[in-house]
């Protein structure tokens, strides 16, 4: 007597695995997007805190360049974020001695994040709830 699986049994197992994958993969993608969005907000807060701390130490004037934050001893900001991409978000900075605006845009609106964020003078975080991909 031969032992083994029939073609029907193997196809049922494959179908079950495919069903489980179809359920799990979108949930994993959603988790990654949520993590990227949280990281973008945290990064914007870090940059804003560095700028506000710099202003407190410099008679109310904000840093005019990111190098003022990263090049200080000790640095206000440990790494450069402006014009960089991290965790699926691209950061853009507009810095002046009287104000600042930092934006975080996802690289891809379906896999990196679903929202664009902006931090303005005084540490005001905002989003319009829609996605505008970097480079779009």
């Amino acid at each position: 007597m031969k032992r083994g699986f029939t073609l029907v049994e193997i196809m049922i197992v494959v179908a079950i695995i495919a069903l489980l994958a179809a359920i799990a993969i979108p949930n994993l993608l959603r988790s990654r997007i949520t993590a990227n969005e949280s990281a973008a907000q945290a990064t914007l807060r870090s940059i804003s805190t560095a700028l506000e701390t710099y202003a407190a130490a410099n008679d109310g004037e904000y840093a005019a360049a990111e190098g003022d934050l990263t090049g200080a001893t000790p640095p206000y900001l440990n790494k450069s974020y402006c014009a960089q991409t991290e965790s699926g978000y691209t950061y853009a900075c507009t810095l002046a001695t009287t104000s600042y605006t930092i934006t975080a845009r996802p690289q891809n609106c379906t896999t990196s994040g679903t929202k664009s964020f902006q931090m303005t003078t005084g540490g005001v975080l905002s989003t319009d709830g829609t996605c505008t991909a970097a480079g779009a």
Side-chain angles (χ1 to χ4, degrees), residues 5-109:
F5 295 105
T6 65
L7 180 60
V8 173
E9 290 172 329
I10 292 173
M11 291 185 68
I12 289 172
V13 169
V14 169
I16 290 171
I17 291 171
L19 179 66
L20 291 174
I23 292 170
I25 290 173
N27 290 334
L28 292 174
L29 182 59
R30 257 190 305 271
S31 297
R32 182 175 182 189
I33 288 171
T34 301
N36 287 349
E37 290 175 352
S38 295
Q41 291 178 38
T43 299
L44 289 176
R45 285 189 183 98
S46 295
I47 298 169
S48 176
T49 299
L51 285 161
E52 295 295 336
T53 305
Y54 181 93
N58 291 284
D59 299 322
E61 289 191 2
Y62 295 105
E66 190 179 30
D68 297 337
L69 301 173
T70 57
T73 305
Y76 293 94
L77 198 58
N78 289 330
K79 88 183 249 192
S80 178
Y81 291 99
C82 299
Q84 302 291 324
T85 299
E86 185 168 307
S87 297
Y89 272 79
T90 301
Y91 298 90
C93 304
T94 304
L95 306 175
T97 57
T98 57
S99 64
Y100 62 85
T101 302
I102 306 129
T103 58
R105 293 185 176 182
Q107 288 179 300
N108 183 310
C109 291

Side-chain angles (χ1 to χ4, degrees), residues 117-130:
F117 300 99
Q118 180 175 340
M119 182 75 77
T120 55
T121 307
V124 179
L125 178 66
S126 62
T127 182
D128 60 7
T130 60

